[in-house]
């Protein structure tokens, strides 16, 4: 079967750095997405990786290793507004998105 | 430019009742999707469409039907609601293909008693 694993919940301090990991086992791979979802709201796009390596976008960076079936989202200079769930999703061989259950990130002052 | 809108935002149904959820997008996107989101689980794809007049089944299509008569609209129907269909339903659209960013509507919270 297809599987996306993320930690259920993480806690970090305002101003710090946090890394959210995602491991996947899917039938094929055509890219990996990260989305942010605030409580009670819709998911919004953060990043898309299809090649190995690190993609940096402001305070957020996303890393992919296809050989290890692994990605992480790195958030720097954490702000209270970063408190949200972070969803990892993989595009499989049929170009269907397989979603992880999400990681709830709690930021403490 | 409203993006993706969903109607209604909240709904309570009794078991066996029917309803239609409407999704509309004004971005001229080809692809549209219906997902459900349940606590502790990832988003699950119900049905999707790759263009006007086309629909296809996703991961969990049973109990749902869809139609895409106009490019901007994607309707999700529940013919006979069941308590297992209590969920938050999200519609999303994407430009030209599966690798394009999906833009989500605000969601519909459905409770089936």
């Amino acid at each position: 079967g297809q599987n996306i694993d993320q930690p259920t919940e993480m806690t970090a301090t305002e101003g710090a750095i946090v890394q959210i990991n995602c491991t996947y086992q899917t039938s094929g791979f055509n890219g990996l997405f990260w989305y942010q979802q605030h409580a009670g709201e819709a998911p919004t796009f953060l990043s898309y990786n299809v090649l190995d390596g690190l993609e940096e976008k402001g305070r957020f960076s996303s890393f992919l290793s296809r050989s290890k079936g692994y990605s992480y989202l790195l958030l720097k200079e954490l702000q209270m507004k970063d408190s949200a769930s972070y969803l990892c999703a993989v595009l499989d061989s049929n170009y269907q998105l397989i979603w992880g259950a999400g990681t709830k990130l709690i930021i403490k002052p | 430019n409203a993006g993706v809108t969903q109607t209604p935002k909240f709904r309570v149904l009794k078991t066996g009742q029917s309803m239609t959820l409407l999704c509309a997008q004004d971005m001229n996107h080809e692809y549209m999707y219906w997902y459900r989101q349940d606590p502790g689980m990832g988003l699950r794809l119900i049905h999707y469409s790759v263009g006007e007049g086309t629909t296809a089944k996703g991961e969990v299509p049973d109990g749902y039907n869809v139609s895409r008569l106009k490019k901007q609209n994607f309707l999700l129907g529940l013919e006979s609601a069941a308590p297992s269909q209590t969920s938050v339903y999200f519609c999303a659209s994407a430009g030209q293909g599966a690798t394009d960013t999906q833009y989500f509507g605000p969601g519909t919270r459905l409770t089936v008693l």
Side-chain angles (χ1 to χ4, degrees):
Chain A
Q2 310 209 83
N3 200 44
I4 310 284
D5 282 319
Q6 309 177 232
T8 303
E9 188 174 296
M10 299 181 70
T11 303
T13 305
E14 191 177 15
I17 299 173
V18 71
Q19 177 175 310
I20 302 174
N21 295 326
C22 171
T23 58
Y24 62 89
Q25 289 178 304
T26 56
S27 57
F29 178 85
N30 282 298
L32 185 145
F33 289 84
W34 284 97
Y35 280 77
Q36 180 190 59
Q37 186 177 24
H38 285 100
E41 297 184 9
T44 55
F45 170 79
L46 288 176
S47 67
Y48 171 64
N49 294 66
V50 65
L51 299 176
D52 290 350
L54 186 69
E55 298 254 354
E56 296 186 77
K57 197 185 291 186
R59 294 189 299 114
F60 291 13
S61 302
S62 56
F63 172 83
L64 175 67
S65 168
R66 288 172 296 171
S67 63
K68 295 182 179 178
Y70 168 69
S71 173
Y72 67 73
L73 182 69
L74 192 72
L75 290 72
K76 302 176 185 176
E77 301 169 14
L78 286 170
Q79 302 175 10
M80 297 303 292
K81 67 179 182 179
D82 297 330
S83 291
S85 289
Y86 291 85
L87 314 180
C88 173
V90 172
L91 207 54
D92 72 7
S93 58
N94 293 321
Y95 288 89
Q96 300 257 340
L97 262 183
I98 310 300
W99 294 81
T103 298
K104 182 178 181 180
L105 178 63
I106 299 168
I107 310 295
K108 295 187 174 179
Chain B
N1 198 353
V4 181
T5 58
Q6 291 183 232
T7 310
K9 287 187 168 54
F10 302 92
R11 186 73 187 266
V12 179
L13 289 178
K14 294 181 180 178
T15 297
Q17 287 185 319
S18 63
M19 78 163 294
T20 300
L21 283 67
L22 171 63
C23 176
Q25 52 94 4
D26 61 4
M27 296 176 282
N28 202 34
H29 284 171
E30 292 292 337
Y31 282 53
M32 295 187 76
Y33 307 85
W34 275 108
Y35 291 97
R36 60 178 289 172
Q37 187 174 41
D38 300 294
M41 301 181 73
L43 287 161
R44 291 185 291 169
L45 183 65
I46 304 171
H47 285 279
Y48 66 100
S49 168
V50 300
E52 181 179 316
T54 75
T55 63
K57 293 180 180 180
E59 180 188 356
V60 289
D62 294 342
Y64 305 95
N65 57 75
V66 288
S67 65
R68 183 111 182 258
L69 298 179
K70 292 183 179 180
K71 186 177 185 178
Q72 63 268 34
N73 295 337
F74 195 28
L75 278 63
L76 178 71
L78 285 74
E79 290 187 348
S80 179
S84 61
Q85 294 177 305
T86 293
S87 188
V88 179
Y89 291 85
F90 285 102
C91 174
S93 72
Q96 296 295 326
T99 58
D100 288 340
T101 299
Q102 292 189 19
Y103 295 86
F104 285 79
T108 295
R109 187 172 294 275
L110 175 66
T111 301
V112 183
L113 302 175

